[in-house]
Amino acid sequence: ICTGGNRTLTATTSGGVSCSFVWQFSTNGGSSWTTISGATSSTYNTGALTATRQYRVRRLCGGVGCSDPFSNTVTVTVVADPSVSITGGTTICTGGNRTLTATASGGTGNCSFQWQISTNNSTWSNISGATGSTYNTGALTATRFYRVRRSCTGSGCGTATSNVQTVTVVADPSVSITGGATICSGGSRTLTATASGGTGNCSFQWQISTNGGSTFSNINGATGSTYNTGALTATRVYRVRRTCSGSGCNTATSNNQTITVVPDPFISASGGGQICPGGSRTLTASTSGGTGSCTIQWQRS
């Protein structure tokens, strides 16, 4: 029985004349016995117990030549009330799921579980059919709270309620990148990824396209939140993919950023010729290539 439970013991008899009963108990495994005052019927209820006890009964008969036998000994074992705790709370992405596990002790008789769910960690509802020692949440789209109750049929066994485990639902991973620009041949550019959502171990994989973004290839070793293109001699398109290990987390693909490569700056001057002292001449510069803020500085020798 559980702590505070009780048990009714029954004596089965035969033979004898004018017989009565004397019930006894022991707290030390039967080494010594104490007579229970007033316990003189063929049944005896232990009353609420907090420790294990052994019991026996003696049958006293008044007939001539009748012996006064002791019964066999029965033990009423007192165990701790049921207890239960659960583990498995975590953070998942929308559409993910989680398996929670109950660890139980104490109690006696037929013990069972009943999982419960809450949307506010305040009011609880039984989950139909959720009566095992583990429970899988199924696909979730919002944060939920879980607990389990454990009931045992043994006398005095209360119902135990576990701790609460939270399964937090967050948005799927997302990622965007910035840093596209126009550069001169041999120049480089650093691209930066901005991420949100997702859970678990999240990682980046930068990708490159040489055909304007029609097809992409992974860039070996490019797994940080920033990526430097290194010296470029042709236009390239870049994107990054973000993967998170959390349950239900999809892989996010960023927008594209183009690094346009143009020729280096070129300049030529025309209009030179002979003039007389005091004359003047207008010279003209023709330019091509280059990018960014371009300036001209005339020089003379």
Side-chain angles (χ1 to χ4, degrees):
I1 62 172
C2 286
T3 300
N6 67 85
R7 186 71 172 172
T8 296
L9 308 175
T10 301
T12 301
T13 66
S14 63
V17 176
S18 300
C19 299
S20 62
F21 299 92
V22 175
W23 289 87
Q24 297 181 322
F25 76 90
S26 173
T27 60
N28 53 17
S31 296
S32 59
W33 295 89
T34 300
T35 296
I36 304 169
S37 177
T40 57
S41 69
S42 61
T43 61
Y44 173 69
N45 185 277
T46 63
L49 293 179
T50 58
T52 296
R53 294 287 184 269
Q54 291 77 37
Y55 293 89
R56 70 183 183 183
V57 65
R58 192 174 191 187
R59 187 162 180 252
L60 306 176
C61 296
V64 175
C66 293
S67 60
D68 299 321
F70 285 99
S71 70
N72 55 306
T73 298
V74 295
T75 301
V76 181
T77 303
V78 177
V79 298
D81 282 337
S83 69
V84 63
S85 63
I86 62 173
T87 57
T90 191
T91 300
I92 62 174
C93 287
T94 300
N97 67 87
R98 185 67 172 175
T99 296
L100 306 173
T101 301
T103 301
S105 64
T108 186
N110 294 321
C111 298
S112 61
F113 297 98
Q114 176 59 64
W115 290 85
Q116 296 182 319
I117 188 172
S118 174
T119 59
N120 57 10
N121 199 20
S122 177
T123 57
W124 296 87
S125 302
N126 289 342
I127 304 170
S128 179
T131 56
S133 59
T134 61
Y135 174 70
N136 184 277
T137 63
L140 293 178
T141 57
T143 296
R144 292 292 182 264
F145 305 91
Y146 296 90
R147 72 183 186 185
V148 69
R149 304 195 79 195
R150 181 169 176 255
S151 300
C152 296
T153 60
S155 175
C157 297
T159 297
T161 301
S162 73
N163 55 308
V164 175
Q165 289 285 290
T166 304
V167 181
T168 303
V169 177
V170 297
D172 281 333
S174 68
V175 63
S176 62
I177 61 173
T178 57
T182 300
I183 62 174
C184 289
S185 183
S188 67
R189 185 71 173 174
T190 296
L191 305 172
T192 301
T194 301
S196 64
T199 185
N201 295 321
C202 298
S203 61
F204 297 98
Q205 177 58 63
W206 290 85
Q207 296 182 320
I208 189 172
S209 173
T210 61
N211 56 13
S214 296
T215 58
F216 284 86
S217 302
N218 288 344
I219 303 171
N220 187 39
T223 56
S225 60
T226 61
Y227 174 68
N228 185 276
T229 64
L232 294 179
T233 58
T235 296
R236 293 291 182 263
V237 181
Y238 296 89
R239 71 182 186 186
V240 69
R241 303 194 80 196
R242 182 169 176 253
T243 302
C244 295
S245 63
S247 175
C249 296
N250 299 319
T251 296
T253 301
S254 75
N255 56 306
N256 294 346
Q257 288 286 290
T258 301
I259 309 297
T260 303
V261 177
V262 298
D264 283 338
F266 173 81
I267 189 168
S268 64
S270 60
Q274 293 181 336
I275 60 172
C276 290
S280 67
R281 187 78 172 172
T282 297
L283 306 176
T284 302
S286 299
T287 64
S288 65
T291 185
S293 298
C294 298
T295 60
I296 295 173
Q297 175 61 59
W298 288 85
Q299 297 180 327
R300 67 183 178 183
S301 172

